Amino acid sequence: MITEKVGIFAGRALTLNNINTISNEIPIGEGILRAVLRFNLTTTETTASGVISEGVLSFIKNLTFKTNKNEYALRSVPLRGLYHFLRFRNKVSNFKTEVADGGNTARVTIEIPFVNASWRRPQDSIFDSSRNESVTLEITTGTIADLFSTVGDGAVVATVDMYVERTRGRLGANDAPICFPEIGVVPVVNPANSTYIDLERSSDLSYTDLLIASQNSVTSGVPFSGTFADTVLAELSLETDRDYPIKGLLPNMLQDIAKQDAQLDASDTITGLYYLDLLSREGSIVSGALASGLYSRLQARWTNGTLSTSGISLIYGGFRSLK
């Protein structure tokens, strides 16, 4: 398989506090391994203050990448959740620079993955765009208030760049996909009211990995908002009506193993982040992935620790049958 990296657009302006829809610029026909987005946030200010930690991530509220067949590579995924999810899956930190007092250009580079290197046959989920008439990228943006706690005279201009890594020409029969990858989120849960999250169950959906995040001082109803905290959860499980794929794990122990598996340094900060790799060690999606349609109940469950306007967010990775 011969591949190439092809620029799609550069410096495309994003309207603030809006859903920005991009479709005509994205070519179809080849096999796409990944799409790479770089967000550029240029701030100017003299009286704004209080740079918000990871505000450059929180500024991008949602990302959706879908085909005309209603296949979703990203399903309303906040950039902050995707950024940390891919830290574990890809075993590398994504590029990010933060906003600074006085104004600067902060950047985040993130990929939309269509192949998964941890799978025994990574190209099983390559995006064969020749199957589609069109694809659409939706980017929901925030405002300067996502970047500074005191806005003052602050202003921000946002743009996005994109390239794709694709095959040269159409896919051959030996490289054809057997499924379509999906990354999505579920509604954030207030742990003071509930100690579980229901995961979607469908005959065409299998899960490969999950990232659970515990936060304090959350914005109600907004996943991956607030401050990540290790004190919210005391124990974690993944429960079905048949068994426990994961049962009674200590969150800090789970973090230690996740760091080791992702080859992160011991000093890397993953406060409040708990990654669950559901695949078997040999990377088989047939024997290892969690086929959600087999269960009448599928829940992430936990025991609460200390709560402070807390929220539990969950981002999932998986795949669906081709349509």
Side-chain angles (χ1 to χ4, degrees):
M1 183 188 300
I2 301 175
T3 63
E4 59 186 5
K5 295 180 176 68
V6 179
I8 306 303
F9 51 75
R12 183 183 175 99
L14 297 174
T15 302
L16 303 186
N17 199 30
N18 202 1
I19 300 174
N20 297 261
T21 302
I22 303 169
S23 56
N24 293 335
E25 293 93 328
I26 303 173
I28 58 176
E30 293 79 17
I32 299 178
L33 288 77
R34 64 175 179 167
V36 178
L37 302 173
R38 183 175 71 170
F39 297 100
N40 313 289
L41 306 183
T42 300
T43 55
T44 56
E45 60 88 12
T46 58
T47 61
S49 62
V51 173
I52 296 175
S53 177
E54 295 195 338
V56 67
L57 299 179
S58 299
F59 179 85
I60 303 298
K61 303 299 182 183
N62 283 306
L63 292 167
T64 293
F65 187 99
K66 62 182 179 180
T67 74
N68 65 293
K69 295 183 177 183
N70 284 326
E71 297 165 315
Y72 288 81
L74 296 178
R75 188 184 287 266
S76 299
V77 180
L79 179 59
R80 194 182 188 198
L82 181 62
Y83 177 90
H84 289 292
F85 178 76
L86 292 179
R87 284 178 69 193
F88 293 99
R89 177 188 278 189
N90 293 346
K91 300 178 173 58
V92 64
S93 292
N94 303 291
F95 178 83
K96 171 174 66 74
T97 60
E98 294 285 358
V99 170
D101 286 323
N104 70 335
T105 297
R107 292 188 169 92
V108 182
T109 301
I110 201 78
E111 73 172 24
I112 304 173
F114 295 102
V115 298
N116 190 329
S118 67
W119 291 11
R120 180 184 294 174
R121 189 175 181 271
Q123 67 267 37
D124 277 346
S125 59
I126 193 170
F127 176 29
D128 182 2
S129 64
S130 69
R131 299 173 48 252
N132 301 103
E133 297 176 2
S134 64
V135 295
T136 300
L137 172 66
E138 294 178 351
I139 302 170
T140 304
T141 53
T143 68
I144 189 70
D146 293 299
L147 307 176
F148 295 96
S149 57
T150 300
V151 171
D153 65 353
V156 58
V157 174
T159 64
V160 61
D161 315 315
M162 181 181 184
Y163 80 80
V164 296
E165 185 174 351
R166 69 187 188 187
T167 59
R168 289 187 181 176
R170 294 175 180 256
L171 287 170
N174 291 335
D175 295 317
I178 63 173
C179 59
F180 195 89
E182 180 171 305
I183 296 174
V185 295
V186 300
V188 62
V189 168
N190 181 347
N193 299 330
S194 178
T195 57
Y196 66 88
I197 291 175
D198 279 312
L199 294 171
E200 179 187 351
R201 292 174 289 105
S202 174
S203 60
D204 74 338
L205 173 61
S206 294
Y207 294 103
T208 57
D209 44 354
L210 309 173
L211 178 66
I212 296 171
S214 57
Q215 308 101 231
N216 285 329
S217 304
V218 303
T219 301
S220 179
V222 179
F224 293 93
S225 62
T227 303
F228 294 134
D230 281 340
T231 54
V232 178
L233 302 182
E235 188 177 273
L236 269 173
S237 297
L238 186 62
E239 177 183 338
T240 76
D241 58 295
R242 300 181 184 182
D243 53 21
Y244 287 83
I246 295 167
K247 184 176 182 180
L249 295 185
L250 297 175
N252 58 355
M253 190 173 182
L254 181 60
Q255 285 177 323
D256 293 342
I257 295 301
K259 271 190 178 183
Q260 177 179 302
D261 289 346
Q263 301 173 26
L264 301 177
D265 292 334
S267 60
D268 283 339
T269 301
I270 57 171
T271 303
L273 298 172
Y274 312 102
Y275 181 72
L276 307 176
D277 187 349
L278 304 178
L279 286 182
S280 55
R281 286 292 180 178
E282 71 270 17
S284 170
I285 63 172
V286 176
S287 62
L290 192 65
S292 66
L294 297 178
Y295 305 102
S296 60
R297 185 179 73 255
L298 180 54
Q299 298 172 330
R301 285 188 167 270
W302 61 86
T303 301
N304 283 335
T306 302
L307 307 183
S308 179
T309 318
S310 303
I312 307 298
S313 302
L314 187 150
I315 183 170
Y316 65 84
F319 58 88
R320 292 184 189 265
S321 305
L322 294 173
K323 293 184 179 180

